[in-house]
Amino acid sequence: MPLRDLALAFVVILAWGMNFVVIKVGLHGIPPMLLGGLRFTLAAVPAIFFVKRPAIPLRWLVAYGATISLGQFAFLFTAMAVGMPAGLASVVLQAQAFFTVALGALLLHERFHAHNAVGLVVAACGLALIGEQGGTGMTLMGFILTLCAALMWGLGNIATKKAGKADMLGLVVWGSLIPPIPFFALSWWLEGPDRIHGALASIDGSSVFAVLYLSFIATLVGYGLWAWLMSRHPAAQVAPFSLLIPVIGLAAAAALLGEIPSVPQIGGALLVMAGLLINTFGGRLRTRADRPA
């Protein structure tokens, strides 16, 4: 991969890793459902006037927007609002990789390999260790809701596979049209008009920055560059960079928010990362080991 493309890959990972700290900042002034509605409204408009709609059936576009955009972030924003630390959220959310593998085997009849099972067991032990530490800077409800967000991401990955080959940036932009109305309806129902009015009337610079960052940097720039990299290089070269997201997330949360995980939580995070590495690279290592010398 050329040095320029390598630098762009790190820009994306940095943007997505910092995303969790920015969400936490945004939630200080804006309730979670309202934050979701604002994020995806700005991600969709005016971008839909400049980005072509992906050539996929409408049902899969709706399924993508309802899972990866609406479901994932409704759960994630709520989780972080009720006590899920930003750094640990970046780790636990990576359970999506294992939900995707399991759902692929269940719904698409894809093969579930031995290295997938080993990676899942290792990561599950790490998640159990993190979850058991509820009360040490993290609530159990926040942990469970983050796992729900990871499940929705996994379901969105299945919807993307069922949709077939599609322009990723177009899918993100047009999929962003799905969540705003449900998010605003949930905000009206769960957060109430008084809280919505208060948040908008007293919105400050940090909240505006958070909304703009989540809409443009994390969503449009991040996915746009990622799609460009995936179009130029094999997925096997690009996808492993996503393993750095929890590293950036943990480091940024510690440096900017003062979130220092407990020793067991750090151990759990390392186990999750080990499970992700096994899941990502285990197949290649097994193939090399099976080759005749």
Side-chain angles (χ1 to χ4, degrees):
M1 184 180 292
L3 184 60
R4 180 195 62 179
D5 293 3
L6 188 64
L8 291 176
F10 278 107
V11 167
V12 175
I13 298 311
L14 181 62
W16 283 348
M18 291 292 297
N19 184 49
F20 296 89
V21 170
V22 175
I23 291 171
K24 205 73 170 179
V25 171
L27 290 170
H28 287 161
I30 305 174
M33 297 301 107
L34 181 59
L35 180 61
L38 294 173
R39 171 185 181 164
F40 286 102
T41 298
L42 291 180
V45 181
I48 57 168
F49 298 111
F50 303 98
V51 177
K52 186 178 179 181
R53 177 187 160 182
I56 62 174
L58 180 61
R59 65 181 181 277
W60 294 121
L61 180 62
V62 172
Y64 175 89
T67 52
I68 279 189
S69 300
L70 174 61
Q72 178 187 182
F73 290 102
F75 282 122
L76 180 62
F77 287 3
T78 304
M80 295 179 69
V82 300
M84 186 66 184
L88 289 177
S90 71
V91 175
V92 175
L93 194 63
Q94 300 312 309
Q96 61 83 19
F98 302 102
F99 282 126
T100 300
V101 171
L103 290 167
L106 181 65
L107 301 177
L108 304 180
H109 306 293
E110 295 180 347
R111 292 189 64 186
F112 192 84
H113 299 282
H115 69 273
N116 298 133
V118 173
L120 176 59
V121 170
V122 172
C125 290
L127 290 170
L129 189 56
I130 293 172
E132 189 272 334
Q133 291 295 303
T136 55
M138 181 192 74
T139 64
L140 179 59
M141 181 57 69
F143 175 76
I144 293 172
L145 289 172
T146 306
L147 282 178
C148 290
L151 174 60
M152 297 305 293
W153 187 352
L155 285 169
N157 288 337
I158 299 302
T160 304
K161 288 188 176 185
K162 291 291 288 182
K165 189 174 182 180
D167 171 55
M168 190 62 189
L169 180 59
L171 186 61
V172 170
V173 169
W174 284 85
S176 295
L177 278 176
I178 308 302
I181 291 177
F183 262 126
F184 289 133
L186 286 169
S187 181
W188 188 272
W189 177 39
L190 298 174
E191 296 157 356
D194 290 341
R195 192 175 177 193
I196 293 172
H197 179 268
L200 295 177
S202 61
I203 195 167
D204 58 13
S206 61
S207 297
V208 172
F209 167 78
V211 172
L212 294 177
Y213 184 99
L214 295 173
S215 302
F216 298 110
I217 304 300
T219 303
L220 299 181
V221 174
Y223 280 104
L225 288 176
W226 191 255
W228 187 80
L229 289 168
M230 292 289 277
S231 70
R232 289 176 57 87
H233 304 284
Q237 286 187 12
V238 179
F241 281 99
S242 64
L243 295 172
L244 294 174
I245 293 174
V247 178
I248 300 296
L250 285 167
L256 301 175
L257 300 178
E259 292 181 1
I260 307 299
S262 65
V263 173
Q265 287 173 336
I266 293 174
L270 290 175
L271 283 174
V272 172
M273 292 299 297
L276 289 170
L277 286 168
I278 294 170
N279 185 68
T280 302
F281 298 108
R284 294 186 215 173
L285 294 176
R286 186 184 64 181
T287 300
R288 289 181 182 178
D290 290 342
R291 289 176 182 169

